[in-house]
Amino acid sequence: MAEWLKEIVGQEWIEEDPAGYGSRVHPNDAGDVRTILMHAGENGTHVVTAGAARLLPPTGKPFILLDFSRLKGIEIFDADRIALCGAGVTNSTLEAALSSQAPGLAYSLPDEKSATVAESALGADCGTLAAAWGTNADMICAQELVLANGMCCRTGSASMNAGWFARGPLPDLSGITVGWLDAIGVVTRLSIKLYPKPPLSLFFRCRSDDPERLSHIAGRLSRTEIPMALTIEGRREGRKQRAFIEACFGAFSEKERDMKWKILADAAEGSILVEQAEKLDRMTDGGGELFVYPGTVGRLMKEAGAAAADAGRAVSFRISFFDAGHGALFRFNFEGSGKESEPLRKIMIRSIGEGAVPRRPDREMQQALMKHMNASTVDIMGKIKRRFDPKGILNPGLWEVAP
């Protein structure tokens, strides 16, 4: 396996796994990725992308791990308000490039700054502009895509060699990559929308200890369509709960700033306005993430608090609203519990039955999701996977549908 890989990328761009299970390979462009996938298909070798590796169970079979760290190209098109990024460009790298090259433009920066722009877009992360403009998936314009069968194509306006500025009104092939976790193909480049960056940026904060009240206030704030980012953040330990809402908004003048502040204050009537939100410890263990209907946020906060109390633990939560309140990403963490904690997974599995969708679901969660899907939808997903990955070599086990 190593010999044909050397011919494609060169010896210096291959790292062998000491245990003998795989090779970490650093392709230089879409052509390298295409050749690797075609050879892997001929040899029956599994190919795993770095972003999906943590979601896959170990198989014990040798595989190729694609590392896109060499695909670091960034082009910023100021007039079109887009950035064209290679698959290895991280969120923090793009943010730094904008600061130096286009300080008047903003990118919806997710919490995971070390993740790549492509991972955040294809995984529908909620960044700093999510409340106004949607998830990062909604900001995808055009893509360069290598399918598992070796076919290379471009989507959106890039398919017509007309630049990278638009996703439609052509058939939306860009959308077919969102949520698949690289199970049918690999995105090697994509363009992402940028937005005007107001010179004034402010935070509007209020608090309430009633989860239902917090959810209601957040809904009223989102309907003003003023916040660029809108979150509920809190922590509950036993019967004690601390929580607040934070809305970030921008303005191009002091008059606009004052007008927006008044509108937000009126929408938050009945809550307590605070200048500085209390600093809450964010827990990293036992984390769960669910895309949910905004109307279920209050109930989920109560459920997470009750489950944590039953387990004798504290719970922290952070809810990010996106697309003017049309959806929310609900994050919650149990103190002192591992990722596979039973209380957390029970809430997530039950929520799937009520329409929630885990963010970047592992194999178990994917199977739970498909049990609740329409049978025809699952059948179509299986046909798409088998059509684009007939040998089943790319990230095997992800969105696996029996023939």
Side-chain angles (χ1 to χ4, degrees):
M1 180 170 66
E3 291 304 315
W4 61 264
L5 280 175
K6 289 177 189 176
E7 294 178 6
I8 298 171
V9 298
Q11 176 65 57
E12 67 272 26
W13 299 110
I14 303 174
E15 304 165 44
E16 293 297 337
D17 179 1
Y21 285 118
S23 303
R24 179 182 284 266
V25 181
H26 301 258
N28 188 50
D29 54 26
D32 283 355
V33 174
R34 178 179 181 272
T35 308
I36 290 169
L37 288 172
M38 290 182 70
H39 275 274
E42 293 171 1
N43 299 322
T45 304
H46 288 170
V47 179
V48 176
T49 55
R54 63 183 181 275
L55 302 173
L56 289 166
T59 63
K61 182 178 179 179
F63 62 89
I64 298 169
L65 179 67
L66 291 181
D67 185 319
F68 300 121
S69 54
R70 293 176 71 191
L71 281 66
K72 293 181 177 179
I74 301 177
E75 291 183 69
I76 297 171
F77 299 87
D78 204 324
D80 298 329
R81 297 210 307 249
I82 60 167
L84 175 61
C85 302
V89 176
T90 65
N91 291 312
S92 58
T93 302
L94 176 55
E95 184 75 0
L98 287 172
S99 296
S100 60
Q101 299 178 40
L105 294 177
Y107 164 61
S108 190
L109 185 66
D111 286 341
E112 295 181 57
K113 296 178 177 60
S114 61
T116 66
V117 173
E119 286 173 346
S120 294
L122 301 176
D125 279 358
C126 287
T128 49
L129 304 177
W133 304 108
T135 70
N136 285 45
D138 297 315
M139 301 171 187
I140 297 172
C141 294
Q143 299 174 341
E144 180 180 74
L145 172 67
V146 182
L147 297 171
N149 59 12
M151 185 182 295
C152 187
C153 66
R154 289 182 176 180
T155 69
S157 56
S159 66
M160 302 180 65
N161 298 317
W164 296 78
F165 62 93
R167 184 163 167 169
L170 298 167
D172 189 10
L173 297 180
S174 297
I176 200 171
T177 59
V178 175
W180 275 95
L181 305 170
D182 297 334
I184 60 171
V186 176
V187 173
T188 51
R189 284 193 292 175
L190 62 74
S191 56
I192 197 88
K193 292 178 183 177
L194 306 173
Y195 299 88
K197 187 175 183 179
L200 300 177
S201 182
L202 296 96
F203 290 91
F204 177 90
R205 301 182 178 95
C206 59
R207 67 177 177 83
S208 173
D209 294 331
D210 179 0
E212 295 288 353
R213 179 67 180 159
L214 275 172
S215 179
H216 176 70
I217 294 169
R220 293 183 59 174
L221 292 174
S222 67
R223 282 193 287 273
T224 67
E225 298 189 1
I226 290 175
M228 296 184 294
L230 178 63
T231 59
I232 298 176
E233 190 163 344
R235 185 173 189 270
R236 180 171 175 173
E237 187 169 3
R239 294 184 178 180
K240 184 179 180 181
Q241 177 170 292
R242 293 168 291 161
F244 64 89
I245 296 175
E246 183 173 86
C248 174
F249 69 97
F252 288 90
S253 68
E254 292 184 0
K255 183 178 180 180
E256 181 187 356
R257 175 200 64 191
D258 295 342
M259 177 193 69
K260 287 183 174 179
W261 185 276
K262 185 179 185 307
I263 293 173
L264 291 174
D266 289 343
E269 184 180 1
S271 63
I272 302 171
L273 301 187
V274 292
E275 289 189 10
Q276 184 64 47
E278 182 180 356
K279 184 66 177 176
L280 301 173
D281 294 331
R282 291 189 187 175
M283 305 170 194
T284 56
D285 292 327
E289 297 179 289
L290 291 167
F291 286 102
V292 300
Y293 301 113
T296 64
V297 164
R299 177 176 58 77
L300 282 171
M301 282 193 285
K302 285 184 176 180
E303 280 190 26
D310 290 343
R313 298 189 176 105
V315 63
S316 66
F317 51 85
R318 187 167 190 244
I319 301 100
S320 301
F321 295 86
F322 57 86
D323 193 18
H326 285 100
L329 177 59
F330 185 93
R331 302 180 179 101
F332 58 110
N333 302 287
F334 287 1
E335 185 179 47
S337 61
K339 186 178 180 182
E340 302 300 321
S341 71
E342 276 304 307
L344 180 144
R345 290 191 78 82
K346 283 181 179 179
I347 291 175
M348 295 187 72
I349 294 292
R350 184 169 65 252
S351 297
I352 288 173
E354 298 169 352
V357 178
R359 176 175 171 266
R360 291 186 181 142
D362 59 21
R363 187 176 181 179
E364 179 188 354
M365 290 291 180
Q366 289 172 20
Q367 294 300 314
L369 281 163
M370 287 191 286
K371 286 180 181 178
H372 291 281
M373 286 182 183
N374 180 282
S376 297
T377 301
V378 176
D379 181 54
I380 290 171
M381 287 172 59
K383 288 177 178 176
I384 290 173
K385 170 66 175 172
R386 290 188 290 274
R387 175 65 181 85
F388 292 148
D389 187 10
K391 302 290 183 67
I393 62 164
L394 185 58
N395 292 319
L398 292 186
W399 295 117
E400 198 168 71
V401 180

